[in-house]
Amino acid sequence: MEYLDFGTIFFFVAAVVIFLQLRKVLGRRTGNERPPFNPYTRTAEVEDKSKPSDNVVSLPRRGEVKESSFEKVDAVAKPGTPLNDGLRAIQNADPAFEPAKFLDGSKMAYEMIVMSFADGDRKTLKSLLSREVFDGFVAAIADRESRGEKVQSSFVGINKADIIGAEMKGTESHVTVRIVSELISATLDKNGTVIDGDKEAVAEVKDVWTFARDTRSKDPNWKLVATEAED
């Protein structure tokens, strides 16, 4: 019969002691433990189901926006005005619509469109413009390029932006925004000579742009469908 050496016996005893200590601390599995947390599981699936069900808030269905939920519309347009009525009609068709957030998005889109037009960036313009407006912008860019002209622009910022019109046209929501911005812009001929604008002067630009979105679409993005420059 072979004898175990002292080292083997020592480690065997230590392992037994550690096992017994862990058993006391961790306890036994009963089958009622919570499953391990999965960071990729949707929040609704990992919430404690013991919470009362009255904490669940159902989103309003299309055409079921409650009167009290129009407070965000009323904050930007006086109740009883055509603008307020138009914004309410849009929110009825699309309960997720919020005028303030739309306005923030339209200002970002405005800067992107202005700079993309100056740079001749057709790819970016295509994602932000309706087909008709895109065709008009591309034609102007092509005409400019055919003469070897280039536009140098620097966007200074937007001084003011207001929603001035809103309506539903069938399933399409249309919102018109008046934007006052500052821009440094100059058009150069093929020799680099300034033929329009100024490379250093800041100019105030006033535009009236209309954005549209089909409320039936899963695409949340709005597109520019009409432009008008104010004198």
Side-chain angles (χ1 to χ4, degrees):
M1 179 176 180
E2 296 182 359
Y3 292 94
L4 299 175
D5 57 47
F6 177 77
T8 302
I9 295 174
F10 174 79
F11 285 114
F12 175 77
V13 172
V16 172
V17 171
I18 292 172
F19 172 77
L20 292 175
Q21 290 298 322
L22 288 174
R23 186 183 180 89
K24 291 179 180 179
V25 174
L26 301 178
R28 300 180 182 180
R29 293 184 62 85
T30 64
N32 295 321
E33 295 83 4
R34 290 187 178 185
F37 173 70
N38 182 352
Y40 300 103
T41 304
R42 291 179 301 175
T43 303
E45 294 177 350
V46 298
E47 288 181 347
D48 188 350
K49 294 184 179 180
S50 64
K51 293 180 180 179
S53 59
D54 58 1
N55 285 341
V56 178
V57 179
S58 299
L59 291 175
R61 296 180 180 180
R62 184 170 299 173
E64 294 183 357
V65 180
K66 294 182 180 180
E67 190 72 20
S68 60
S69 68
F70 286 125
E71 57 186 18
K72 292 182 179 180
V73 168
D74 297 344
V76 300
K78 186 177 180 180
T81 62
L83 177 58
N84 184 280
D85 293 341
L87 291 172
R88 288 191 178 205
I90 292 174
Q91 189 175 331
N92 268 326
D94 179 11
F97 173 76
E98 293 184 21
K101 289 185 178 180
F102 165 84
L103 197 57
D104 288 340
S106 68
K107 289 189 288 187
M108 294 176 61
Y110 178 85
E111 180 178 352
M112 291 176 64
I113 292 170
V114 168
M115 297 309 298
S116 294
F117 177 72
D119 296 337
D121 184 353
R122 294 169 173 81
K123 184 177 180 180
T124 299
L125 290 173
K126 189 173 184 179
S127 65
L128 297 169
L129 311 179
S130 68
R131 181 58 182 272
E132 294 77 12
V133 175
F134 175 73
D135 289 344
F137 275 43
V138 168
I141 292 172
D143 183 56
R144 185 176 72 206
E145 292 174 342
S146 69
R147 296 192 299 270
E149 298 174 356
K150 293 184 179 180
V151 175
Q152 290 186 359
S153 289
S154 178
F155 194 87
V156 178
I158 294 176
N159 292 334
K160 191 176 182 181
D162 297 296
I163 296 176
I164 61 172
E167 63 177 327
M168 288 294 300
K169 292 185 177 181
T171 61
E172 276 196 347
S173 50
H174 289 243
V175 180
T176 300
V177 182
R178 182 178 182 270
I179 298 175
V180 180
S181 65
E182 290 186 339
L183 185 72
I184 300 173
S185 182
T187 302
L188 285 61
D189 65 15
K190 58 183 178 181
N191 298 317
T193 303
V194 176
I195 58 176
D196 187 37
D198 192 307
K199 296 172 67 175
E200 298 181 357
V202 177
E204 183 179 76
V205 181
K206 299 178 181 179
D207 286 304
V208 176
W209 285 12
T210 299
F211 296 87
R213 176 182 174 273
D214 191 333
T215 57
R216 298 172 304 178
S217 174
K218 293 182 180 179
D219 184 356
N221 295 319
W222 294 68
K223 291 195 174 184
L224 179 65
V225 297
T227 64
E228 180 183 347
E230 284 190 355
D231 295 332

